[in-house]
Amino acid sequence: MPMDQAELSTDQVLRRDIPWETYMTTKLITGTGLQLLRRYDKKPENYKAQLLDDDGPAYVRVFVSILRDIFKEETVDGRPKPHGAIANGASNSKKEITTINDVLKGLVEWLCTQLKNPSHPSRGIPTAINCLATLLKEPVVRSSFVQADGVKLLIPLISPASTQQSIQVVRVVILTLKNLLHKGTFGAQMVDLGLPQLVQNLKAQAWSDEDLLESLNQLEEGMKDNIKKLSSFDKYKQEVLLGHLDWSPMHKDPIFWRDNITSFEEHDFQILRVLITILDTSSDPRTLAVACYDLSQFIQYHPAGRIIVTDLKAKERVMKLMNHENAEVTKNALLCIQRLFLGAKYASFLQA
C-alpha cells in the first residue's frame, strides 16, 4: 500500500469534507448540532475561538456526542480506512489512533489552562467552567480533572478577592463543585482545600440570587455528610481544617489518641500546625479551649510531643490564652502549659 494513501498530513485531514448532513439524517446528530458544526467547521482559528467563547458548552456537548456515537474512523481519527486493509492484515495500529478518551483528556487540560490564564476573564472563565461541567459527566474526564488539580483551580475563583468580579463565576463554580461533591474523592479534596470555611464566608454575604444561596446551602450540607462518613482521624482532621472545634467524644477519648497519634506526623505535622494557627485566628472560646486541650493531648501521647510543640512555637500562643476572659479557655491553656513544662505525668497529677 503506498505510504501517501495510508498516511495523511494534518492539513490534508482537516481539509476533508465530513458529511454532517448525513449524520443528521441518520440521527447521529441533531439539527441544532448540525448548525453549530456548519458554523465551526473549516473556519479560521480566531473565528472558532469566538464561537467557543459565545457558545462553549453547546459545542462541547456536540463534540462529546460525536465522539461517543460516531465510529467512522475518518470522523473520529481523521484517517481514511484503506481498501483491503483488514483483509491484508494491515489495519492501522490502535496505538497510532487517537482515542475518544485522549480527546476528552485533551479538552480538560485545555480548559484547565483557560482557568489559569484566561484571555477574557469576564466571559472566558464562566465559559470554561460551563464546558467542564458538561465534560465532567464522563468518568474519564473526572479522572483527568483530578490529575490536573482541577478543584484547586476552581476554589480560588470564589475567594473574597474574586467574588467582586462576577456573580456568574461564583454561580457556575458552586454548581460545578456541588455536582462533583459525591463523586470519587472530590468531597475530601474540597474539605482539605478549606472549602467549608469559604462557603460559610460566601453565605454571610448579601447575595440577592436565591438559587446561589440554595446551592451554597446544599454544598455545605453535602460536605457535612461527607465528613460524617470519614474515619475517626479523618473526621478530626476535617474538624480542625474547618476551624470550628467542639467537645465531640474523640477529643477526650484515650483510644482515639493512642490509635491515631502517629497520623499527626503526616505532611510535616500539617494538622498540628493548623491547630496551633487556630490559637491565633479563632475568636470562639470553645474552639480555643478545645485546641489547647488537643495540644495537651498531643504532648501526652506523642513520644516527642513536648519537643515538637515547642519547635512549632506553640508555647507563646498558649501562654497568651492563660489571660483569656473565658474560664474554659484559661483552664485548658493552663493544662497545656503544665504538660509542656512538667510533662504529662506531673501535669495530670496537678489537675487531679
Side-chain angles (χ1 to χ4, degrees):
M1 182 186 307
M3 182 64 69
D4 57 355
Q5 183 181 357
E7 296 183 6
L8 297 177
S9 69
T10 301
D11 288 340
Q12 288 174 309
V13 169
L14 293 175
R15 284 199 299 268
R16 294 179 64 202
D17 290 323
I18 298 175
W20 300 122
E21 289 80 3
T22 302
Y23 295 146
M24 188 194 75
T25 302
T26 55
K27 298 184 178 179
L28 289 173
I29 59 175
T30 65
T32 301
L34 175 62
Q35 295 303 318
L36 289 169
L37 290 167
R38 280 175 171 168
R39 292 169 59 195
Y40 187 87
D41 195 19
K42 297 183 178 61
K43 296 297 190 298
E45 290 303 316
N46 60 343
Y47 182 78
K48 290 180 180 179
Q50 183 63 51
L51 290 177
L52 292 177
D53 273 346
D54 294 339
D55 295 301
Y59 276 102
V60 167
R61 285 191 290 270
V62 171
F63 296 154
V64 172
S65 175
I66 292 170
L67 290 171
R68 187 190 297 115
D69 298 331
I70 298 177
F71 298 102
K72 289 183 178 290
E73 286 185 358
E74 65 267 25
T75 302
V76 178
D77 304 315
R79 295 170 184 261
K81 183 182 290 183
H83 294 295
I86 296 177
N88 296 330
S91 60
N92 288 326
S93 167
K94 291 293 182 184
K95 293 181 180 178
E96 295 176 1
I97 297 176
T98 301
T99 66
I100 293 173
N101 288 353
D102 290 333
V103 175
L104 292 175
K105 289 177 182 178
L107 276 172
V108 170
E109 291 172 2
W110 180 79
L111 289 168
C112 287
T113 301
Q114 294 300 302
L115 293 180
K116 292 179 183 177
N117 303 295
S119 54
H120 302 288
S122 60
R123 65 181 181 182
I125 289 178
T127 299
I129 298 170
N130 276 322
C131 293
L132 275 172
T134 301
L135 286 169
L136 286 168
K137 296 174 184 177
E138 303 288 332
V140 66
V141 172
R142 292 198 291 270
S143 175
S144 300
F145 194 62
V146 171
Q147 295 173 11
D149 282 333
V151 174
K152 278 187 179 179
L153 295 176
L154 290 178
I155 289 181
L157 299 177
I158 55 174
S159 66
S162 301
T163 54
Q164 303 302 319
Q165 296 179 9
S166 171
I167 188 173
Q168 184 185 8
V169 171
V170 179
R171 187 187 298 112
V172 294
V173 170
I174 292 297
L175 184 60
T176 301
L177 293 173
K178 186 186 75 170
N179 292 336
L180 287 174
L181 184 60
H182 298 296
K183 299 185 185 298
T185 60
F186 284 114
Q189 286 183 48
M190 292 176 197
V191 176
D192 283 344
L193 292 168
L195 184 60
Q197 183 61 54
L198 188 52
V199 168
Q200 288 184 7
N201 294 340
L202 287 171
K203 286 178 62 179
Q205 298 184 30
W207 298 104
S208 58
D209 189 322
E210 293 184 3
D211 290 337
L212 174 57
L213 286 172
E214 182 180 357
S215 293
L216 286 168
N217 287 329
Q218 291 173 349
L219 182 57
E220 183 178 47
E221 291 303 313
M223 285 188 289
K224 288 180 181 177
D225 291 339
N226 190 274
I227 291 173
K228 290 177 184 177
K229 297 175 183 176
L230 300 172
S231 68
S232 58
F233 183 72
D234 285 333
K235 288 181 181 178
Y236 177 82
K237 178 180 176 181
Q238 307 312 332
E239 188 178 322
V240 172
L241 291 173
L242 284 169
H244 297 284
L245 306 179
D246 206 344
W247 291 114
S248 53
M250 58 185 158
H251 295 279
K252 296 188 177 182
D253 182 5
I255 296 175
F256 167 80
W257 287 97
R258 282 198 299 268
D259 290 349
N260 295 287
I261 195 64
T262 56
S263 297
F264 282 84
E265 299 173 3
E266 295 174 357
H267 306 298
D268 193 25
F269 297 93
Q270 177 201 29
I271 294 303
L272 190 65
R273 292 174 185 273
V274 175
L275 195 63
I276 293 171
T277 300
I278 286 174
L279 300 178
D280 283 335
T281 59
S282 179
S283 58
D284 175 51
R286 177 63 55 83
T287 294
L288 292 172
V290 177
C292 288
Y293 182 81
D294 285 0
L295 281 175
S296 73
Q297 291 287 75
F298 178 82
I299 294 168
Q300 178 174 350
Y301 286 94
H302 196 284
R306 295 170 66 187
I307 297 172
I308 294 167
V309 170
T310 300
D311 286 347
L312 293 178
K313 313 297 182 185
K315 180 181 70 175
E316 296 80 2
R317 298 171 182 177
V318 176
M319 290 187 72
K320 289 180 182 178
L321 295 176
M322 291 176 64
N323 296 319
H324 198 277
E325 59 185 11
N326 182 278
E328 185 181 29
V329 175
T330 57
K331 173 186 173 182
N332 287 283
L334 177 61
L335 172 62
C336 185
I337 291 297
Q338 288 173 339
R339 287 184 176 175
L340 192 58
F341 282 107
L342 304 176
K345 180 178 179 181
Y346 294 107
S348 298
F349 173 78
L350 289 175
Q351 286 291 309

